[in-house]
Amino acid sequence: MALLDVSVGDSDTDDSNDVIDVDVLDSDGLLSVDINCFAKGTDIMTPQGAKRVESLKVGDDITTADNRTISIKWIGQQTTKPRDFNENLQAIKIRKNAIAHEVPSSDLVLTAGHGIVVDDLLINASVLVNGASIDYVPLEELDDEVTYYHIESWGHETILANGVPAETYIDYKDRASFDNYDEYLTLYGADVQVQEMPRPRISARRLLPQHICQRLGIDRNMEHLLTA
């Protein structure tokens, strides 16, 4: 099975089964699609308590950060080779209590572009990297292949992942990058855009409010680089 099967646009193929869209490669030949997901083993809150993301399925109920019950529309799944991804898509670990007491309730690993809610702002995980309690996961600590999951609900919602308020799937353009995209098409026939929640998103460190920087130990002038 191909680790990444993106069939949109023009593609370069070889004698293997892999299909790589040339439009998703950056200047260094690294994969740069926005696959913003939770790592396998992440606990997602449900009305029955926390359940591992890999155990959930379409139609299951989950709990929002404001304690509503919603159903899962789809779960995108992607198995990747971390060394094939550029820095902005590498895994980030938010250590227990990094955001607040019991937030996360245990270490949370997710991709850099996944948004979490801090002080009513939706902030990409990479923006919160402080080199200590929130940091890139060194490549040497990751398996050669890593499986990520992204939960899609019927709207853009905030759910709880290891106790952290985190967004559900939003960027409909990248559904085709998931390994099980055909499952989505079988269920729903075609891509449907998800309207983004009415909450400010911060995707650049320079835009972080100073009070968040101070509380989380973030230096807005320092870029924390991924190292193997």
Side-chain angles (χ1 to χ4, degrees), residues 20-36:
I20 303 295
D21 187 336
V22 296
D23 292 332
V24 303
L25 300 180
D26 65 15
S27 59
D28 296 320
L30 300 176
L31 302 178
S32 59
V33 292
D34 289 332
I35 302 174
N36 301 327

Side-chain angles (χ1 to χ4, degrees), residues 30-106:
L30 300 176
L31 302 178
S32 59
V33 292
D34 289 332
I35 302 174
N36 301 327
C37 316
F38 304 112
K40 182 178 180 179
T42 299
D43 284 330
I44 303 297
M45 186 56 65
T46 79
Q48 294 76 40
K51 295 184 178 181
R52 294 291 174 91
V53 64
E54 64 268 23
S55 72
L56 297 172
K57 60 184 183 298
V58 172
D60 283 354
D61 287 337
I62 55 177
T63 303
T64 64
D66 59 357
N67 206 33
R68 290 177 294 112
T69 297
I70 60 174
S71 63
I72 295 174
K73 179 180 179 181
W74 184 61
I75 300 177
Q77 181 176 330
Q78 178 66 281
T79 299
T80 71
K81 289 183 176 180
R83 292 181 184 277
D84 288 343
F85 281 81
N86 67 25
E87 178 184 316
N88 291 330
L89 294 172
Q90 290 293 350
I92 286 178
K93 180 182 290 185
I94 304 176
R95 296 189 182 278
K96 180 178 179 179
N97 301 325
I99 306 298
H101 179 64
E102 291 296 306
V103 183
S105 55
S106 59

Side-chain angles (χ1 to χ4, degrees), residues 172-187:
Y172 75 102
K173 294 181 294 183
D174 293 319
R175 281 198 193 97
S177 63
F178 289 97
D179 293 337
N180 59 332
Y181 176 60
D182 286 346
E183 176 191 52
Y184 182 92
L185 294 180
T186 298
L187 288 170

Side-chain angles (χ1 to χ4, degrees), residues 2-4 11-22 81:
L3 290 177
L4 181 66
S11 62
D12 290 340
T13 60
D14 55 23
D15 293 334
S16 70
N17 293 324
D18 293 345
V19 180
I20 303 295
D21 187 336
V22 296
K81 289 183 176 180

